[in-house]
mmCIF file of all heavy atoms in Angstrom:
data_model
loop_
_atom_site.group_PDB
_atom_site.id
_atom_site.type_symbol
_atom_site.label_atom_id
_atom_site.label_comp_id
_atom_site.label_asym_id
_atom_site.label_seq_id
_atom_site.Cartn_x
_atom_site.Cartn_y
_atom_site.Cartn_z
ATOM 1 N N VAL G 253 -17.604 -62.865 -33.094
ATOM 2 C CA VAL G 253 -16.497 -63.035 -32.163
ATOM 3 C C VAL G 253 -15.465 -63.941 -32.810
ATOM 4 O O VAL G 253 -15.712 -65.119 -33.035
ATOM 5 C CB VAL G 253 -16.967 -63.628 -30.823
ATOM 6 C CG1 VAL G 253 -15.797 -63.793 -29.886
ATOM 7 C CG2 VAL G 253 -18.006 -62.727 -30.198
ATOM 8 N N ARG G 254 -14.302 -63.393 -33.114
ATOM 9 C CA ARG G 254 -13.292 -64.129 -33.860
ATOM 10 C C ARG G 254 -12.127 -64.514 -32.964
ATOM 11 O O ARG G 254 -12.204 -64.412 -31.747
ATOM 12 C CB ARG G 254 -12.839 -63.295 -35.056
ATOM 13 C CG ARG G 254 -13.986 -63.134 -36.080
ATOM 14 C CD ARG G 254 -13.693 -62.074 -37.099
ATOM 15 N NE ARG G 254 -14.698 -62.075 -38.153
ATOM 16 C CZ ARG G 254 -15.844 -61.432 -38.078
ATOM 17 N NH1 ARG G 254 -16.147 -60.733 -37.018
ATOM 18 N NH2 ARG G 254 -16.707 -61.485 -39.076
ATOM 19 N N ALA G 255 -11.041 -64.913 -33.565
ATOM 20 C CA ALA G 255 -9.904 -65.463 -32.823
ATOM 21 C C ALA G 255 -9.431 -64.512 -31.743
ATOM 22 O O ALA G 255 -9.376 -63.313 -31.939
ATOM 23 C CB ALA G 255 -8.759 -65.757 -33.779
ATOM 24 N N ALA G 256 -9.089 -65.062 -30.599
ATOM 25 C CA ALA G 256 -8.666 -64.243 -29.471
ATOM 26 C C ALA G 256 -7.309 -63.608 -29.738
ATOM 27 O O ALA G 256 -6.527 -64.083 -30.550
ATOM 28 C CB ALA G 256 -8.588 -65.100 -28.202
ATOM 29 N N VAL G 257 -7.046 -62.526 -29.016
ATOM 30 C CA VAL G 257 -5.750 -61.859 -29.117
ATOM 31 C C VAL G 257 -4.698 -62.716 -28.438
ATOM 32 O O VAL G 257 -4.899 -63.178 -27.317
ATOM 33 C CB VAL G 257 -5.813 -60.482 -28.411
ATOM 34 C CG1 VAL G 257 -4.461 -59.819 -28.462
ATOM 35 C CG2 VAL G 257 -6.867 -59.609 -29.066
ATOM 36 N N GLU G 258 -3.605 -62.945 -29.120
ATOM 37 C CA GLU G 258 -2.525 -63.721 -28.523
ATOM 38 C C GLU G 258 -1.644 -62.804 -27.692
ATOM 39 O O GLU G 258 -1.321 -61.704 -28.118
ATOM 40 C CB GLU G 258 -1.682 -64.365 -29.619
ATOM 41 C CG GLU G 258 -2.456 -65.351 -30.479
ATOM 42 C CD GLU G 258 -1.613 -65.884 -31.609
ATOM 43 O OE1 GLU G 258 -0.415 -65.557 -31.651
ATOM 44 O OE2 GLU G 258 -2.146 -66.628 -32.441
ATOM 45 N N PRO G 259 -1.242 -63.211 -26.504
ATOM 46 C CA PRO G 259 -0.329 -62.370 -25.731
ATOM 47 C C PRO G 259 1.008 -62.241 -26.421
ATOM 48 O O PRO G 259 1.480 -63.184 -27.060
ATOM 49 C CB PRO G 259 -0.188 -63.130 -24.397
ATOM 50 C CG PRO G 259 -0.536 -64.544 -24.734
ATOM 51 C CD PRO G 259 -1.553 -64.490 -25.840
ATOM 52 N N ALA G 260 1.606 -61.061 -26.312
ATOM 53 C CA ALA G 260 2.915 -60.836 -26.930
ATOM 54 C C ALA G 260 3.973 -61.623 -26.184
ATOM 55 O O ALA G 260 3.924 -61.768 -24.964
ATOM 56 C CB ALA G 260 3.258 -59.364 -26.903
ATOM 57 N N PRO G 261 4.945 -62.184 -26.886
ATOM 58 C CA PRO G 261 6.017 -62.910 -26.212
ATOM 59 C C PRO G 261 6.875 -61.971 -25.390
ATOM 60 O O PRO G 261 6.939 -60.772 -25.664
ATOM 61 C CB PRO G 261 6.813 -63.503 -27.382
ATOM 62 C CG PRO G 261 6.533 -62.603 -28.543
ATOM 63 C CD PRO G 261 5.124 -62.128 -28.346
ATOM 64 N N ALA G 262 7.503 -62.529 -24.371
ATOM 65 C CA ALA G 262 8.392 -61.697 -23.562
ATOM 66 C C ALA G 262 9.536 -61.190 -24.418
ATOM 67 O O ALA G 262 10.109 -61.938 -25.208
ATOM 68 C CB ALA G 262 8.948 -62.531 -22.403
ATOM 69 N N PRO G 263 9.870 -59.880 -24.318
ATOM 70 C CA PRO G 263 10.907 -59.325 -25.172
ATOM 71 C C PRO G 263 12.277 -59.895 -24.841
ATOM 72 O O PRO G 263 12.594 -60.201 -23.708
ATOM 73 C CB PRO G 263 10.844 -57.829 -24.852
ATOM 74 C CG PRO G 263 10.252 -57.752 -23.485
ATOM 75 C CD PRO G 263 9.319 -58.904 -23.373
ATOM 76 N N ALA G 264 13.118 -60.016 -25.864
ATOM 77 C CA ALA G 264 14.488 -60.485 -25.683
ATOM 78 C C ALA G 264 15.414 -59.302 -25.530
ATOM 79 O O ALA G 264 14.994 -58.157 -25.541
ATOM 80 C CB ALA G 264 14.895 -61.333 -26.879
ATOM 81 N N SER G 265 16.717 -59.601 -25.410
ATOM 82 C CA SER G 265 17.650 -58.506 -25.194
ATOM 83 C C SER G 265 17.800 -57.636 -26.415
ATOM 84 O O SER G 265 18.166 -56.485 -26.306
ATOM 85 C CB SER G 265 19.018 -59.078 -24.816
ATOM 86 O OG SER G 265 19.474 -59.953 -25.837
ATOM 87 N N ALA G 266 17.570 -58.164 -27.594
ATOM 88 C CA ALA G 266 17.600 -57.363 -28.815
ATOM 89 C C ALA G 266 16.173 -57.156 -29.283
ATOM 90 O O ALA G 266 15.301 -57.974 -29.012
ATOM 91 C CB ALA G 266 18.413 -58.066 -29.899
ATOM 92 N N PRO G 267 15.884 -56.059 -29.991
ATOM 93 C CA PRO G 267 14.517 -55.789 -30.420
ATOM 94 C C PRO G 267 13.992 -56.899 -31.310
ATOM 95 O O PRO G 267 14.663 -57.362 -32.225
ATOM 96 C CB PRO G 267 14.658 -54.488 -31.216
ATOM 97 C CG PRO G 267 15.950 -53.891 -30.789
ATOM 98 C CD PRO G 267 16.828 -55.028 -30.424
ATOM 99 N N ALA G 268 12.769 -57.350 -31.017
ATOM 100 C CA ALA G 268 12.147 -58.384 -31.824
ATOM 101 C C ALA G 268 11.376 -57.750 -32.965
ATOM 102 O O ALA G 268 10.968 -56.611 -32.880
ATOM 103 C CB ALA G 268 11.184 -59.210 -30.949
ATOM 104 N N PRO G 269 11.177 -58.481 -34.052
ATOM 105 C CA PRO G 269 10.379 -57.916 -35.135
ATOM 106 C C PRO G 269 8.939 -57.732 -34.693
ATOM 107 O O PRO G 269 8.450 -58.422 -33.808
ATOM 108 C CB PRO G 269 10.483 -58.980 -36.238
ATOM 109 C CG PRO G 269 10.825 -60.249 -35.533
ATOM 110 C CD PRO G 269 11.652 -59.838 -34.350
ATOM 111 N N ALA G 270 8.260 -56.771 -35.325
ATOM 112 C CA ALA G 270 6.874 -56.495 -34.971
ATOM 113 C C ALA G 270 6.028 -57.740 -35.212
ATOM 114 O O ALA G 270 6.198 -58.447 -36.199
ATOM 115 C CB ALA G 270 6.343 -55.334 -35.810
ATOM 116 N N PRO G 271 5.081 -58.052 -34.299
ATOM 117 C CA PRO G 271 4.231 -59.226 -34.500
ATOM 118 C C PRO G 271 3.363 -59.049 -35.725
ATOM 119 O O PRO G 271 2.981 -57.950 -36.072
ATOM 120 C CB PRO G 271 3.377 -59.251 -33.212
ATOM 121 C CG PRO G 271 3.440 -57.870 -32.673
ATOM 122 C CD PRO G 271 4.761 -57.322 -33.077
#
Side-chain angles (χ1 to χ4, degrees):
V253 180
R254 293 167 172 85
V257 178
E258 298 176 5
S265 58

